[in-house]
Structure formats: C-alpha cells, structure tokens
Amino acid sequence: MHAFAQSINHYVPSNRHLAGLVVVLIGSLFCLWLNTSLDTWSDGRIKGLSSLTLAILLGMLLGNTIYANFAERLDAGVVFAKGQVLRLAIMFYGFKLTMTQVASVGMPAIMTDALVLTSTFLLTYWLGTKWLKVDKQTTLLIGSGASICGAAAVIAAEPVVKAEAHKVTIAVATVVVFGTIAMLLYPFLYHLGWLQPWLNAQQYGVYTGSTVHEVAQVVVAGNAISPEVGNTAVVTKMIRVMMLAPFLLILSFALTTANDSNSSDKKPSLVARIKQVKVPWFAFIFILIVVLHTWVPMSASFEQNMIILDDVLLTMAMFALGLTTHLSAIKQAGVKPLILAAMMFVWLIVGGGLINIGISFI
C-alpha cells in the first residue's frame, strides 16, 4: 500500500515543478489554438498537421534559442511534463477507444494489425542495428512509431527504452515526414485504380489503418475515399493503438534480457528476468480505461472533456520534448535514421499491402 501511495505521489507536481509546467501548458494551448486556426484560415486545405507536430516544432525553436536563459528555473517542470504528464496522456488515450469498435471490424483486421506490427518492428530492428548501424535506442523508437501509432508510440516507448530527447525527436520527425507522405499517397493510388484489383473499399480502409503512421493521417487517408472507409480505417488503427500495452511489456522484457546478457556471463533464469522487467503500468491502465469506457455508462460531455484533456496533456509532453531537444544532437545523428524510416515506409506500403491482400483471401 505504501508503494502504491508513493507511485501516486510521483504524479503530483510540487512547487518546484509549477513554473515549468505553466510555461509548457501555455505553449501547448497555443499550439492547439494554432492547429485549429490554421485549418480555418486555409479553409481545410492544410491536412494532417496536428497540434503535436506544431508543439515539438515550436518547442525546438524556443529550446534552441531563448530557453537556455530560463532552463535552470523551468527544467524541473519541463522534465515532469516529459515524464509523468506523458504517462497520464497515454492512460487517458483510452477515452478515445471502445472494445465495440474493435469488434466491428472483425478478426481479419486484428490479424492484419498484429502481423504488420510484428513484421515492421522486427524488420526495423534488424535493418537499423545490423545493416545501417543506427544506435539501438533510435532504432527501437523509429520501429515503435512505424509499427504502432506514430508519435504517441514513440513517446510511450521512451520510458522503456530510456532514450535521450534528441533521439525521440528524430523518431517523431520520421513519423511526421513519412506519415504525411502516406496520407497523400494512399488516396492518390486508390483513385488511380492501382489498388482496386487487390483491395475493395473496405479492405482499403483496413490497409490504411494497419499501415499509416498517425491516427490523424489515417483519418485523412480513409475519409478521402468515403466516410464508411474512414471509419473502418480509424477503427483498424485504434486496434493497433491498443496493442501498445502488450508491445511495451514485451519490449521491456526483451531489453531486460539483453542487458542481463551483456552484464554477466552467467545466463539469468526466466524467473529472474521477469522480476527485473519494469512493467509499463501506464499502458495497462490505458487498456483498463478502454474497457471501462466500453462498459461503464459515461455522459457525452464527460467523454468529450477527457478527450480534450488528453489532447492537452499529449501536446504538453511534445512541447516539453521540443524544449529539451538540441539541433546539434540531431545533426550528429546523421542521415541514417532517415534512410531507415524511408525503408520502413516502403515496407509498410508494399509488405503491409501484401499482408492485407493475403489475409483478405483467407
């Protein structure tokens, strides 16, 4: 009970966090406003640009210019936003999902998501570490973003991977670049007629949801065909999001095993490895919230408020990440992470397409 109380207290900010949290909150609210305003000003022509993208860009701009003058006073709150606020955001993401949505697309979509996720992550890890020689943390983060749910997966994996801020930013950047290309390319290929011989409209929705990086990008790519296809695409995408919790647990176990193997000649027992795994409880609370959201009656206003709160918390985490990201570190990483992400982009289109076609024949 004492340990549980300590865990809860860990999420309660103290006075030393307040200044940084206020700055991060103001920055995130500005980015949310700007995202909405850009959509209005452009008459809806700016597609797929999210408040998360704007937050990390603005955070990086400030972080590499004036933030250094205030870092000593604000850093505690900014680090709190990157850590505890991020975990809360992942938990509350469950208010955007229900188990009923999962059931509506059926087993083929679940199988497709599982196969695309597994193959994409394993291929990213192999290509990144064995062939391109990208550092392990960056490879794991790029693999998480490409295989599951974009920026949200990258920042959810960060506590498990224990990556530096600039590596998280690199991975998020690849999601933004290639996810945006996919968002525009998929409907283009469909309208050209290149996909129809292999996938009908609903199967295109599953294909989009199982292979495009971000939820917002899936919404655009799916609805470019029809609202029905858009719904199928989004639900398929949300199933990938729900796979985040078991993915993080398996990743934590794998990293614990790898660290044990590197630190000792004596191979630890399975029980010993399991005991050392740092369970990403925030991800499992996310699943619990999905279940509660499905079966416990909630008013529409409460649901909407929780979704808005989650958007604010996610944007705060990304703004804080941008503030602590230094361009010099990104330059030092070189072009290899971008090449790796480009290769996985091609895999998602081609390999993901073959997986979708194969399952459609089952």
Side-chain angles (χ1 to χ4, degrees):
M1 194 68 183
H2 178 66
F4 179 75
Q6 279 187 323
S7 298
I8 295 297
N9 289 334
H10 191 57
Y11 284 86
V12 179
S14 64
N15 289 334
R16 68 191 182 91
H17 297 127
L18 292 181
L21 283 174
V22 168
V23 169
V24 170
L25 176 60
I26 292 171
S28 69
L29 292 175
F30 172 76
C31 292
L32 286 161
W33 169 82
L34 182 60
N35 184 51
T36 304
S37 298
L38 284 173
D39 186 58
T40 303
W41 297 337
S42 68
D43 197 24
R45 285 190 293 271
I46 296 179
K47 298 287 187 183
L49 185 65
S50 70
S51 60
L52 302 183
T53 306
L54 293 171
I56 198 167
L57 291 175
L58 179 60
M60 286 176 64
L61 176 64
L62 297 176
N64 286 276
T65 52
I66 63 174
Y67 178 70
N69 300 325
F70 307 96
E72 187 175 347
R73 185 178 177 192
L74 301 179
D75 201 49
V78 171
V79 172
F80 186 90
K82 280 168 50 182
Q84 288 87 326
V85 170
L86 163 64
R87 291 168 176 78
L88 284 172
I90 299 299
M91 294 179 207
F92 292 157
Y93 206 94
F95 286 104
K96 299 178 180 180
L97 296 166
T98 66
M99 300 301 291
T100 309
Q101 291 174 322
V102 175
S104 69
V105 294
M107 189 54 68
I110 297 172
M111 289 172 58
T112 301
D113 276 339
L115 286 172
V116 170
L117 190 163
T118 305
S119 60
T120 302
F121 184 79
L122 292 177
L123 186 57
T124 306
Y125 184 79
W126 182 78
L127 288 173
T129 58
K130 305 296 183 185
W131 194 62
L132 288 171
K133 305 298 181 186
V134 177
D135 72 272
K136 187 176 178 180
Q137 290 180 335
T138 303
T139 300
L140 291 172
L141 292 174
I142 290 174
S144 300
S147 61
I148 307 178
C149 55
V154 173
I155 56 180
E158 183 271 333
V160 177
V161 176
K162 300 189 177 84
E164 299 162 77
H166 73 275
K167 294 178 181 178
V168 179
T169 302
I170 290 168
V172 170
T174 64
V175 167
V176 173
V177 171
F178 293 106
T180 302
I181 295 173
M183 175 188 74
L184 302 172
L185 181 63
Y186 278 46
F188 179 70
L189 293 176
Y190 185 86
H191 288 304
L192 278 180
W194 290 9
L195 299 179
Q196 281 95 324
W198 309 102
L199 301 168
N200 62 35
Q202 286 303 105
Q203 288 166 343
Y204 165 85
V206 175
Y207 172 50
T208 302
S210 63
T211 56
V212 175
H213 296 66
E214 285 275 0
V215 176
Q217 295 157 354
V218 169
V219 171
V220 173
N223 281 280
I225 309 305
S226 72
E228 294 75 21
V229 171
N231 289 340
T232 301
V234 170
V235 172
T236 304
K237 178 65 177 177
M238 288 308 187
I239 294 171
R240 279 171 78 192
V241 174
M242 289 183 66
M243 293 176 178
L244 181 63
F247 167 81
L248 292 177
L249 183 62
I250 294 168
L251 180 61
S252 179
F253 178 77
L255 292 177
T256 300
T257 303
N259 292 336
D260 285 344
S261 300
N262 293 335
S263 62
S264 174
D265 293 333
K266 185 179 178 182
K267 195 173 181 181
S269 67
L270 179 62
V271 175
R273 290 175 188 168
I274 292 173
K275 286 181 178 178
Q276 292 180 39
V277 171
K278 294 183 178 177
V279 179
W281 291 113
F282 65 94
F284 286 94
I285 293 174
F286 152 74
I287 293 291
L288 176 61
I289 289 176
V290 173
V291 173
L292 292 175
H293 186 213
T294 305
W295 301 111
V296 177
M298 299 179 185
S299 68
S301 61
F302 175 78
E303 288 184 25
Q304 188 60 34
N305 288 335
M306 294 308 296
I307 290 171
I308 292 171
L309 174 61
D310 185 58
D311 288 341
V312 172
L313 293 176
L314 274 174
T315 310
M316 286 178 67
M318 295 302 279
F319 187 76
L321 178 64
L323 286 176
T324 54
T325 298
H326 301 293
L327 290 176
S328 58
I330 294 177
K331 288 178 184 176
Q332 193 174 350
V335 74
K336 285 186 177 181
L338 195 63
I339 294 173
L340 175 60
M343 294 172 74
M344 298 325 301
F345 171 63
V346 173
W347 163 253
L348 284 168
I349 294 173
V350 179
L354 290 173
I355 290 171
N356 273 267
I357 292 167
I359 290 182
S360 70
F361 285 115
I362 295 176

